[in-house]
Amino acid sequence: MRTTVGIIGAGPAGLLLARLLHNAGIDSVVLESRDRAYVEQRQRAGILEQGTVDVLRAAGAGERMDRRGLRHDGIELRFDRRRHRVDFPRLTRGRSVMVYAQTEVCKDLIALQLKEGGPLLFEAEALAVEGAESDRPAVRFRHGGREDVLECDYVVGCDGFWGVARKAVPAGLSRVFERTYPFGWLGILADVAPSHDELVYARHDRGFALLSMRSPSVSRLYLQVPADTDAETWSDEEIWDELERRLETDDDWTLRRGPITQKSVTPMRSYVHEPMRHGRLFLAGDAAHIVPPTGAKGLNLAVGDVVTFARALTHRQETGSTELLDAYSATCLRRVWQAERFSYDMTTMLHRHPEATPFEERLQLARLDRIASCRAAETDLAEGYTGFPIG
Ligand code: RFL
Ligand code: PHB
């Protein structure tokens, strides 16, 4: 098999890249190790930045999002039983975010790719990227019980944190910047209308809690738990009781309960692999970087990377210049580090660290109070949350 761009992974990064390249008249093949149902059901992100919404619309993938997605103009911060709303459009000259699940973005992009785009192979596992330094890189993969080779002009590793693409960068040329956290998130999906019309991020002495949603009738909620927690050790009633405690306020707000349809624990990590390019191998999305989910940035970063790559390759095809491809890693990393900083700040401001001193706990409250009382601090949060510019 031969193609211009070999894409490993059909998460949001790989699928959107295939769409952007198709729209630019550049052919690609997508290899995905899992089956279609798995990719379409994997519960993950829920918040699309303004820039991500704009990119999906421009790519012709925004039709269902515009019908089903929920535009949100703010979030609520809860601390000390107080509530503070951050109004995005007021602070950012009109920007907002969209609540539209990653699963839905993937379903939309898969349907478009199968209808209009190039090959998208499910249950096709990339085994290794070969010849990244040459001008004929290749992906060795297994599909239908057979090993095969995909020859490419470029390979883009969109295969997530556990993928194989990153391993093709020689150890001596890689630098990894990493931080793990001693806690994770217990996430639930529940068949009950959200108890608030916007997302609620709560700092509580017992730990962080987040109220989010998937639709007007489905709630998504998270609780900070110790990193090694087994989700099954929490009964449904214990989960609701703990959410209620951490989200409590001084007014008459109440938490609606309903049947829990899914629960799982997600570990938290900050991770950046530099550089994001080696020869003709480019890394995009979680394959190159991870942020803790508190800032809702992971999917949005993946979108920024593949937009940057598609622009750079289009520029190369149109002008013959490799200038933008050569700048790919540096261009992406600037935005990645801003998102790393934002996600780290949100995480450390809102979570209970098991070793935090009373002094550090007071500092967390002071940071929240600063956001609630100072427009510059609040604007900084609103700008970070609604997203940093791509490119
Ligand atoms: P993905 O989605 O992990 O997709 C990688 C794909 O590659 C496939 N793959 C392979 N295919 C072929 N051969 C191989 N050898 C392969 N190895 C792997 C995998 O099967 C998979 O299909 O990476 P991508 O595309 O970079 O997208 C990244 C996002 O999925 C991720 O950053 C977000 O989900 C993070 N995230 C959030 N991001 C946001 O922007 N907003 C949010 O609100 C948000 N909330 C979250 C999140 C992540 C969470 N978890 C579970 C980690 C909430 C949670 C709980
Ligand atoms: C979600 O709805 O899954 C979600 C929302 C906001 C976050 C993280 C996850 O910061």
Side-chain angles (χ1 to χ4, degrees):
M1 273 176 102
R2 207 189 134 78
T3 188
T4 306
V5 182
I7 301 174
I8 312 176
L15 290 166
L16 178 62
L17 177 58
R19 179 70 187 171
L20 295 172
L21 294 176
H22 169 79
N23 289 349
I26 299 169
D27 63 290
S28 70
V29 172
V30 183
L31 304 174
E32 165 59 49
S33 56
R34 303 293 194 141
D35 63 28
R36 181 175 175 181
Y38 182 91
V39 172
E40 290 189 341
Q41 268 149 41
R42 190 168 38 197
Q43 270 305 321
R44 285 196 169 171
I47 297 288
L48 309 182
E49 292 173 357
Q50 177 83 55
T52 297
V53 169
D54 296 343
V55 165
L56 290 170
R57 276 187 196 135
E63 193 263 327
R64 215 164 61 98
M65 172 187 76
D66 280 324
R67 270 190 292 122
R68 300 257 200 104
L70 309 168
R71 177 193 152 126
H72 277 205
D73 283 342
I75 55 168
E76 185 174 294
L77 299 175
R78 275 190 200 178
F79 55 104
D80 256 356
R81 305 175 64 92
R82 285 166 57 193
R83 315 166 61 159
H84 175 77
R85 177 169 189 263
V86 180
D87 181 327
F88 297 149
R90 181 174 66 86
L91 296 160
T92 62
R93 276 178 273 125
R95 294 168 75 81
S96 61
V97 296
M98 178 86 89
V99 174
Y100 189 62
Q102 177 168 330
T103 46
E104 304 306 313
V105 174
C106 288
K107 280 183 206 160
D108 296 346
L109 288 167
I110 288 170
L112 278 172
Q113 185 69 14
L114 294 177
K115 191 159 146 240
E116 301 170 6
L120 160 55
L121 307 183
F122 289 103
E123 297 178 83
E125 185 191 4
L127 303 172
V129 177
E130 288 164 354
E133 289 105 340
S134 74
D135 43 6
R136 279 299 174 88
V139 184
R140 202 152 45 75
F141 68 102
R142 189 169 26 229
H143 184 50
R146 265 190 36 220
E147 265 197 37
D148 212 333
V149 175
L150 176 63
E151 292 177 2
C152 318
D153 292 340
Y154 301 91
V155 175
V156 185
C158 301
D159 48 352
F161 186 67
W162 303 105
V164 295
R166 203 170 59 231
K167 296 186 186 130
V169 183
L173 299 178
S174 295
R175 277 199 79 183
V176 166
F177 303 85
E178 190 170 20
R179 172 164 195 126
T180 54
Y181 301 85
F183 42 77
W185 280 11
L186 170 64
I188 61 160
L189 266 184
D191 282 336
V192 61
S195 302
H196 192 59
D197 52 7
E198 291 178 337
L199 271 65
V200 179
Y201 288 80
R203 185 232 170 252
H204 192 277
D205 289 342
R206 297 175 64 90
F208 171 74
L210 170 62
L211 183 157
S212 178
M213 62 200 71
R214 287 291 173 267
S215 73
S217 57
V218 177
S219 295
R220 175 87 169 141
L221 296 118
Y222 297 97
L223 278 177
Q224 175 188 348
V225 291
D228 51 0
T229 300
D230 172 2
E232 293 312 316
T233 61
W234 281 75
S235 73
D236 293 7
E237 203 188 336
E238 282 170 328
I239 293 174
W240 287 117
D241 287 348
E242 191 61 24
L243 284 165
E244 203 164 73
R245 274 191 213 112
R246 296 190 193 179
L247 289 163
E248 70 192 350
T249 59
D250 275 335
D251 55 24
D252 56 1
W253 181 87
T254 53
L255 178 66
R256 277 187 216 115
R257 299 184 179 207
I260 294 179
T261 56
Q262 214 175 305
K263 60 182 164 190
S264 60
V265 173
T266 308
M268 309 267 277
R269 171 184 276 120
S270 297
Y271 177 99
V272 181
H273 179 280
E274 293 188 0
M276 286 174 58
R277 172 203 179 178
H278 176 62
R280 284 179 174 241
L281 167 65
F282 295 75
L283 302 176
D286 281 14
H289 41 72
I290 297 285
V291 284
T294 328
K297 288 278 161 273
L299 181 154
N300 296 292
L301 277 183
V303 168
D305 293 348
V306 297
V307 167
T308 304
F309 177 79
R311 269 186 203 151
L313 185 57
T314 308
H315 184 70
R316 160 85 176 79
Q317 311 290 66
E318 283 171 358
T319 66
S321 162
T322 61
E323 184 191 357
L324 296 186
L325 284 172
D326 294 340
Y328 172 80
S329 182
T331 305
C332 291
L333 283 169
R334 265 195 84 195
R335 184 165 180 270
V336 166
W337 276 110
Q338 284 307 317
E340 291 286 347
R341 176 192 63 79
F342 178 76
S343 305
Y344 174 84
D345 285 351
M346 287 285 281
T347 302
T348 53
M349 179 171 74
L350 292 164
H351 289 72
R352 210 190 95 78
H353 196 287
E355 273 146 37
T357 61
F359 178 80
E360 286 161 331
E361 285 170 8
R362 281 286 190 274
L363 286 184
Q364 282 187 317
L365 290 169
R367 283 161 75 189
L368 284 157
D369 192 40
R370 179 82 182 148
I371 290 165
S373 58
C374 162
R375 190 176 166 119
E378 195 185 21
T379 302
D380 190 48
L381 189 154
E383 284 181 356
Y385 199 93
T386 53
F388 304 103
I390 298 170

